[in-house]
Amino acid sequence: MAEVIESQQDTKRTRPTRRSFLKWSGVGAGTAALVANTANLGMPSASAAKADGMAGVDKTVWNVCFVNCGSRCPLRLQIKDGTIVRCLPDSTGDDSVENRQLRACVRGRSIRNRVYSPDRVKKPMIRKEGTERGAGEWEEISWPDALDLVAEKIQYTIDNYGNEAIYNQHGSGVNGAAIGAANPFQRLFNLLGGSLQRYGTYSTAQITAATQFTFGELEEGGDTVPSNSFEDSVENSQLVVMFGNNPQETRMSGGGILYTSQFLQREGVRTILIDPMYSESAVVLADEWVPIKPGTDTALASALAHVLISEDLQDQAFLDKYCQGFDEDHMPDGVPAGNSYQSYIMGKGADGIEKTPAWAAEITGIPEDKIVALAREIGNAKPCAIMQGWGPQRHMNGENQARAICALAALTGNVGINGGGTGGREGSYGPLTMSFPSGENPIEASIPLFMWTDAVTRGAEMTATTDGIRGVDKLPVGMKFQLQYGGSKFAGQHSDINRTLEIMKDQSLCEFVVVVENMMTPSAQYADLVLPDTLGPERWDIGHNEAGGDLAYYMYHEQAIEPLHDTMDSYEMAVELAKRLGVEDEYTEGRTRKDWVQWMAEENVKEHPELPTWDELSEMGIYRYHTPENHVVPMRKFREDPEANPLATPSGKIEIFSSELWDMAKTWTFEDPQKGDVITALPEYVDTFESTIEARSNEKHPLQCIGHHFKGRVHSTFANLEWLTSAHHQRLFINPMDAEERGISADDLVEVYNDRGRVRVPANVTTRIRPGVVSLPQGAWYKNDDGVDVGGNINTLTTLHPTAYAKGNPQHTNLVQVKKA
């Protein structure tokens, strides 16, 4: 095995000599700060943009691709006789990094296919009386009757159970829109007394907890503590090391950081990618791929730390000044000896195990000499950008995986400097623009987002120290009314689909479910009432990006066509409900949807005078602005003066040893610590159930299964469009060694299964995944065929068991078997 993996690593690229990054991209270092003011000068206006594309169209309007990829690219839709006839890309900008053209990827360019999809929900639909959820038996219902019913159910729930029984389900399918992403229904619930709150996300629950316990919350806000931007790495890093990061697919567009990340290769910055898969990013960006077993990044980081400490390559001056917990001389008062990170790494801690490269090689599958060489390269590179994607943290031990990578950045003294980083995901600037104001939620109780099914089945039993409930010690009631907008949770993004659907079918638990959606998704089939929402081209909005590196942008979004079918904009739905529930005036403040959009644009200018007015934005289409500090470098102020700018941790320093987790470990309780449910003050390697170690002895399910992001869709958005599915096939990635052992050839139909479910898909036999691991691209639409999911959704196989203290989704921690169908 080691020889096989070694041969896959032994691919080196010859890189060009690095030139000045800003000079190459057309912007000199002295003029970078001017980009915000000059980005749109000399560019085509919205009216001028009408000239290109098809002849004879009635108009060309600016739109935005509102999906959850972070980029949010501009689109220009050409309209003829009230129909979208063509989708054009951004016509502004140039080939420089700071003023780049924001070209939408194939997903954004498929907007016509979405608008005119036969899968659209065309009328309000109510589950046929006497049938169970998921039976697929529907009847049409008029809008007045549908909205009367929803209002009645909301009021009934409040009167009989209290506002804590109402839940506004998380949905990210309209992220980036000023109104859609803010969810107009939450404003309604807040005016009615609030609803059960949630914290964390499916994407980032574990890394959010990890970075906030390590660094505290940064002054810039946000869920996670980011690392430096790719632009900074390109210009200033000697070495870039990425753990489980795949921007070429997760940020796939010209608007996002896909474009900037490619300059790592173009500018000759040596890049190492550590990942179980030879991903698109490994192909495009990396000089070297290090194939690691899933869920073992902490073990690798610990062994790298062992080499750094043994060879005196750690930045001791940085650790002494800026960090708590590296050695016994820098521990908080009252903590017994032997609990420092150095003691843990060198085998002087409680477990007595020295975290040597040989120890880690057995766990990670990476040869010992490779670990030693990697550690020396990291320790000698000045500066070194260490960063992670969101894959490593999406494991049962994900909090510690994320913390261990951040600790590696601290050990090498790379935090808060150009060319370095925090160990988090690559950072981005902005946005400065606001979203639709939802108001304050009067309800204090908050659940971990991933545990909403527990709130349905045993809500009144959930407590702060057993289930991570915040705001109250114990939930007063279970979830009785659920509204899901812009998401596909029941049979899509949530874990263990078969168990989740059993829960949703039980109408004695969650008594009423309304789904607001534009497509009849598998999850929508499990609603009591489905309300057809409009799509982006059918409504007014403004857009902003979230993942553009040093560049941020602000976009005009005009209603391009009249709403199709008998659909209704979600804001109008909320207005109609507010009218029925007696809070219409407070809800609308006398504004239509377009009025709110213009009001937000005006408020943006009040807060940031450099931003364009509504009229100016309508002419520009896009406004680009650039970080005033040249590059995004989180924690720069802390690095420059830690006394004047302490972190929001108990010590005010970077906490490799977390005082908060030390205290939590004494009070939180777990049903089964053997599954990996433990809290450790240090980022220790924790073996969990269905891990790489268990895989060695599990004859029934010996393969680790992960679920990577996929270029043909954004989560489940676009997954039903033939235009994309014909090009990007849902297949199981399996190594030739594992395939040969099972008699599987390329494109054979295979079944992937465990005790939670069974999936049937074609096989992609490829050396681009390490032996012992398979991957099923996430986001496919679930399709039940006599107990087998033939749609290929990985969450047919994943577990509802949450991670230890973030209570997030461990959707990459799965053991399965594969056989030829």
Side-chain angles (χ1 to χ4, degrees):
M1 176 75 72
E3 290 75 19
V4 173
I5 300 302
E6 188 76 65
S7 68
Q8 292 178 342
Q9 291 172 336
D10 194 22
T11 55
K12 308 278 186 176
R13 282 207 182 99
T14 301
R15 287 288 182 81
T17 302
R18 189 179 349 183
R19 296 155 286 175
S20 167
F21 173 55
L22 289 175
K23 183 178 180 181
W24 191 97
S25 62
V27 181
T31 63
L34 299 178
V35 171
N37 296 322
T38 63
N40 297 285
L41 297 182
M43 301 303 166
S45 67
S47 57
K50 297 176 183 177
D52 63 354
M54 286 185 176
V57 297
D58 298 327
K59 59 180 179 178
T60 302
V61 301
W62 285 101
N63 246 231
V64 181
C65 179
F66 289 130
V67 292
N68 186 22
C69 73
S71 297
R72 321 285 149 66
C73 295
L75 305 170
R76 293 181 302 124
L77 305 182
Q78 296 200 299
I79 312 302
K80 177 68 174 177
D81 297 331
T83 299
I84 304 170
V85 293
R86 194 179 187 193
C87 177
L88 299 172
D90 174 26
S91 57
T92 69
D94 52 42
D95 286 333
S96 68
V97 174
E98 285 83 358
N99 194 40
R100 61 186 178 271
Q101 271 195 293
L102 309 174
R103 302 185 187 99
C105 72
V106 66
R107 299 177 300 209
R109 294 291 294 277
S110 70
I111 186 63
R112 280 197 311 142
N113 304 65
R114 287 195 75 200
V115 170
Y116 302 110
S117 169
D119 293 330
R120 284 198 67 172
V121 185
K122 299 175 179 64
K123 294 178 179 292
M125 305 293 288
I126 190 169
R127 180 170 51 85
K128 192 173 182 179
E129 188 173 356
T131 64
E132 69 173 10
R133 292 174 185 158
E137 297 188 47
W138 299 94
E139 295 177 335
E140 293 182 9
I141 183 174
S142 70
W143 273 110
D145 288 348
L147 295 166
D148 286 346
L149 178 61
V150 176
E152 174 192 324
K153 294 296 184 181
I154 291 172
Q155 193 62 60
Y156 172 86
T157 304
I158 293 172
D159 293 343
N160 288 274
Y161 300 109
N163 286 72
E164 291 90 347
I166 293 176
Y167 188 64
N168 189 8
Q169 177 65 273
H170 169 266
S172 65
V174 287
N175 271 18
I179 292 184
N183 197 326
F185 298 103
Q186 190 59 54
R187 180 179 175 89
L188 171 67
F189 292 139
N190 290 348
L191 289 171
L192 296 172
S195 60
L196 180 63
Q197 297 206 53
R198 60 177 184 263
Y199 69 88
T201 71
Y202 281 71
S203 295
T204 64
Q206 293 92 302
I207 195 172
T208 295
T211 55
Q212 290 182 357
F213 280 119
T214 304
F215 302 116
E217 294 185 24
L218 291 186
E219 59 185 28
E220 294 88 351
D223 289 334
T224 66
V225 178
S227 193
N228 295 21
S229 65
F230 271 128
E231 291 95 323
D232 176 68
S233 298
V234 170
E235 189 171 356
N236 297 303
S237 299
Q238 185 176 349
L239 175 68
V240 172
V241 180
M242 295 196 287
F243 289 77
N245 200 8
N246 184 17
Q248 301 302 297
E249 289 184 277
T250 59
R251 296 288 188 251
M252 193 186 79
S253 76
I257 52 85
L258 173 145
Y259 183 72
T260 58
S261 64
Q262 292 183 93
F263 279 85
L264 293 170
Q265 195 275 336
R266 296 180 190 178
E267 293 296 297
V269 184
R270 177 161 166 75
T271 301
I272 299 171
L273 204 152
I274 301 164
D275 197 298
M277 286 191 64
Y278 189 55
S279 65
E280 298 294 288
S281 296
V283 173
V284 174
L285 306 179
D287 295 274
E288 186 172 1
W289 170 46
V290 180
I292 188 172
K293 292 181 180 179
T296 65
D297 299 75
T298 307
L300 174 59
S302 299
L304 295 173
H306 187 280
V307 177
L308 293 172
I309 295 168
S310 300
E311 301 187 5
D312 198 27
L313 292 173
Q314 81 275 19
D315 190 332
Q316 193 63 47
F318 178 85
L319 292 165
D320 291 346
K321 184 175 181 179
Y322 297 95
C323 300
Q324 170 184 281
F326 170 71
D327 53 35
E328 297 296 327
D329 294 332
H330 297 86
M331 294 290 289
D333 295 337
V335 177
N339 281 289
S340 70
Y341 192 56
Q342 187 175 42
S343 295
Y344 167 74
I345 295 298
M346 304 311 292
K348 299 176 181 178
D351 65 2
I353 299 173
E354 195 170 355
K355 310 308 180 298
T356 64
W359 166 83
E362 181 70 14
I363 297 170
T364 64
I366 302 171
E368 179 182 353
D369 59 348
K370 174 54 63 180
I371 295 174
V372 173
L374 181 59
R376 289 171 178 167
E377 188 169 5
I378 290 172
N380 286 301
K382 304 295 181 182
C384 177
I386 298 169
M387 61 182 69
Q388 61 184 299
W390 294 340
Q393 57 97 45
R394 213 167 287 131
H395 283 270
M396 268 301 299
N397 56 4
E399 298 95 332
N400 279 12
Q401 297 231 121
R403 290 173 62 213
I405 297 168
C406 292
L408 194 60
L411 255 66
T412 52
N414 281 297
V415 178
I417 60 172
N418 285 103
T422 65
R425 188 168 182 170
E426 71 283 342
S428 293
Y429 178 61
L432 301 179
T433 49
M434 71 178 298
S435 294
F436 183 61
S438 60
E440 293 296 321
N441 189 340
I443 297 300
E444 295 182 355
S446 182
I447 63 170
L449 170 63
F450 181 64
M451 296 188 72
W452 67 265
T453 43
D454 289 78
V456 172
T457 58
R458 58 181 190 90
E461 303 170 13
M462 298 176 74
T463 72
T465 56
T466 58
D467 304 289
I469 300 302
R470 295 181 182 176
V472 295
D473 292 331
K474 186 175 183 290
L475 282 189
V477 67
M479 190 185 299
K480 297 298 182 181
F481 175 97
Q482 186 176 153
L483 184 146
Q484 179 174 280
Y485 170 52
S488 183
K489 290 293 182 290
F490 313 143
Q493 295 304 115
H494 199 56
S495 288
D496 196 348
I497 287 176
N498 290 324
R499 173 59 183 145
T500 298
L501 295 184
E502 287 179 12
I503 293 169
M504 295 311 300
K505 286 179 181 178
D506 189 342
Q507 296 168 48
S508 70
L509 296 173
C510 191
E511 296 177 357
F512 192 76
V513 178
V514 55
V515 166
V516 178
E517 188 54 90
N518 44 57
M519 303 287 170
M520 186 55 85
T521 66
S523 294
Q525 294 283 359
Y526 288 83
D528 297 303
L529 181 68
V530 180
L531 302 180
D533 190 22
T534 55
L535 277 163
E538 298 165 328
R539 59 195 182 210
W540 286 91
D541 219 308
I542 44 178
H544 55 245
N545 72 312
E546 292 180 359
D550 290 342
L551 172 71
Y553 45 94
Y554 178 36
M555 295 163 288
Y556 186 73
H557 181 95
E558 179 180 345
Q559 181 176 331
I561 60 174
E562 290 299 313
L564 298 181
H565 315 300
D566 192 14
T567 59
M568 183 184 292
D569 165 38
S570 56
Y571 173 79
E572 296 301 328
M573 293 183 210
V575 170
E576 289 297 320
L577 292 173
K579 183 186 302 182
R580 287 162 169 78
L581 292 162
V583 291
E584 180 185 10
D585 291 343
E586 298 96 317
Y587 185 91
T588 67
E589 297 184 23
R591 298 187 181 99
T592 65
R593 181 187 182 103
K594 185 179 180 182
D595 291 338
W596 274 110
V597 171
Q598 291 182 275
W599 176 84
M600 285 185 281
E602 292 163 2
E603 292 297 304
N604 289 335
V605 175
K606 290 179 184 177
E607 186 71 21
H608 301 283
E610 70 274 19
L611 294 177
T613 65
W614 171 256
D615 289 339
E616 290 169 340
L617 185 64
S618 70
E619 283 298 310
M620 292 177 176
I622 311 163
Y623 178 76
R624 296 163 171 82
Y625 53 101
H626 189 273
T627 174
E629 297 185 351
N630 194 25
H631 293 307
V632 174
V633 181
M635 303 179 64
R636 188 197 299 270
K637 293 179 182 178
F638 168 72
R639 181 65 181 262
E640 293 171 349
D641 190 341
E643 297 296 326
N645 304 288
L647 300 181
T649 58
S651 65
K653 296 183 177 183
I654 298 170
E655 295 202 353
I656 300 174
F657 176 99
S658 170
S659 303
E660 294 174 295
L661 291 175
W662 175 260
D663 292 336
M664 285 171 58
K666 301 172 185 176
T667 58
W668 281 40
T669 58
F670 300 98
E671 183 177 341
D672 188 0
Q674 295 302 313
K675 289 187 173 183
D677 290 331
V678 295
I679 297 175
T680 62
L682 294 170
E684 301 176 15
Y685 174 70
V686 176
D687 187 37
T688 71
F689 75 103
E690 301 195 34
S691 67
T692 180
I693 293 176
E694 183 184 331
R696 300 173 192 166
S697 58
N698 193 322
E699 296 181 2
K700 186 178 179 183
H701 304 124
L703 298 172
Q704 290 183 271
C705 181
I706 59 176
H708 64 281
H709 286 250
F710 195 50
K711 63 174 67 68
R713 51 185 177 260
V714 180
H715 300 307
S716 62
T717 306
F718 307 112
N720 62 315
L721 300 187
E722 186 178 357
W723 205 51
L724 294 174
T725 58
S726 62
H728 305 291
H729 307 284
Q730 182 70 353
R731 297 183 296 172
L732 179 77
F733 286 61
I734 184 170
N735 187 276
M737 295 172 63
D738 297 317
E740 182 179 7
E741 182 181 333
R742 292 160 176 80
I744 295 169
S745 301
D747 298 323
D748 280 350
L749 203 61
V750 299
E751 289 195 355
V752 195
Y753 59 92
N754 58 21
D755 292 337
R756 292 182 289 272
R758 187 176 293 260
V759 174
R760 187 183 300 136
V761 290
N764 178 20
V765 180
T766 174
T767 56
R768 289 178 61 169
I769 191 162
R770 67 161 294 133
V773 183
V774 295
S775 186
L776 193 60
Q778 66 94 234
W781 281 20
Y782 172 86
K783 185 178 180 181
N784 190 333
D785 180 11
D786 195 24
V788 178
D789 172 18
V790 296
N793 191 307
I794 186 176
N795 285 321
T796 308
L797 307 168
T798 56
T799 178
L800 286 175
H801 191 96
T803 63
Y805 55 90
K807 302 298 181 185
N809 60 319
Q811 290 175 328
H812 294 328
T813 299
N814 314 286
L815 290 185
V816 301
Q817 181 58 288
V818 178
K819 71 174 185 179
K820 190 172 180 178

